[in-house]
Amino acid sequence: MGIQKKNNATPQNRYRLMWNDVKYEPGTLKVVAFDSNGKSAAESEIRTAGTPYKIVLTPDRKTIKADGEDISFVTVSVVDKNGIPCPLADNQLKFEVNGAGTYRAACNGDATSTEMFHKNTMKLFSGKLIVLVKATKKVGTITLKVSGNGLQPGIINIKSTN
């Protein structure tokens, strides 16, 4: 395994690290960056994901205004039993909103998808999608539940305040 470095590299790969001789194997990939003195300056690891197991919900904001217009953008992702993101997951998910809010739309970022944004179901793309939850004019708790066959559902509460 080695890093390809050429002085006469094309513009396409001049500023890229390339590992042309690395074969795919499940496991852990660890990258270590060294400073000019040869000391470790930074490290990062990624691990191969197992089977999709549960849905994780991460809102951009946990509190929104009860003005009938404010929206929380909730990132929906799928992880394996160890919490490792599953970048190949493409499960069909269903969205349910209760309380002081409504379901507005979803988007998975797949330019080839023909699924309608306003329906309460959509497939993951590269293991993720975004759900938009809209406040009503009622103060209270908004509950978003996202479910999919064979996955533990994700449930999150968002506050709607004046």
Side-chain angles (χ1 to χ4, degrees):
M1 172 168 45
I3 297 174
Q4 178 186 25
K5 183 178 179 182
K6 294 181 180 179
N7 292 335
N8 60 354
T10 66
Q12 178 181 344
N13 59 19
R14 179 178 295 155
Y15 300 106
R16 297 181 184 174
L17 291 175
M18 299 174 70
W19 294 275
N20 293 332
D21 57 345
V22 176
K23 294 180 182 170
Y24 173 80
E25 290 180 9
T28 301
L29 178 63
K30 182 177 181 178
V31 176
V32 180
F34 297 95
D35 66 15
S36 60
N37 296 320
K39 293 184 180 180
S40 176
E43 294 183 11
S44 184
E45 282 187 6
I46 56 172
R47 291 183 175 88
T48 305
T51 303
Y53 178 70
K54 76 176 182 177
I55 297 167
V56 176
L57 306 179
T58 309
D60 68 332
R61 293 177 299 143
K62 291 185 178 183
T63 302
I64 59 177
K65 288 185 148 205
D67 61 4
E69 298 294 327
D70 206 3
I71 292 176
S72 178
F73 295 80
V74 181
T75 300
V76 178
S77 55
V78 171
V79 298
D80 68 10
K81 284 186 178 186
N82 297 314
I84 298 171
C86 299
L88 301 180
D90 64 354
N91 306 66
Q92 187 76 38
L93 302 182
K94 183 178 179 187
F95 322 116
E96 182 182 332
V97 177
N98 293 298
T102 60
Y103 168 78
R104 184 67 184 104
C107 183
N108 62 13
D110 181 358
T112 65
S113 175
T114 58
E115 292 182 275
M116 293 188 230
F117 298 112
H118 68 281
K119 299 286 184 180
N120 70 337
T121 182
M122 186 169 280
K123 272 186 153 188
L124 291 163
F125 178 64
S126 297
K128 293 188 178 221
L129 57 76
I130 302 287
V131 173
L132 285 69
V133 176
K134 186 176 178 181
T136 62
K137 292 187 177 185
K138 180 178 154 187
V139 171
T141 301
I142 304 166
T143 302
L144 169 64
K145 179 180 179 182
V146 180
S147 57
N149 287 340
L151 298 171
Q152 286 189 354
I155 300 173
I156 193 166
N157 289 322
I158 298 167
K159 298 290 182 193
S160 178
T161 64
N162 284 330

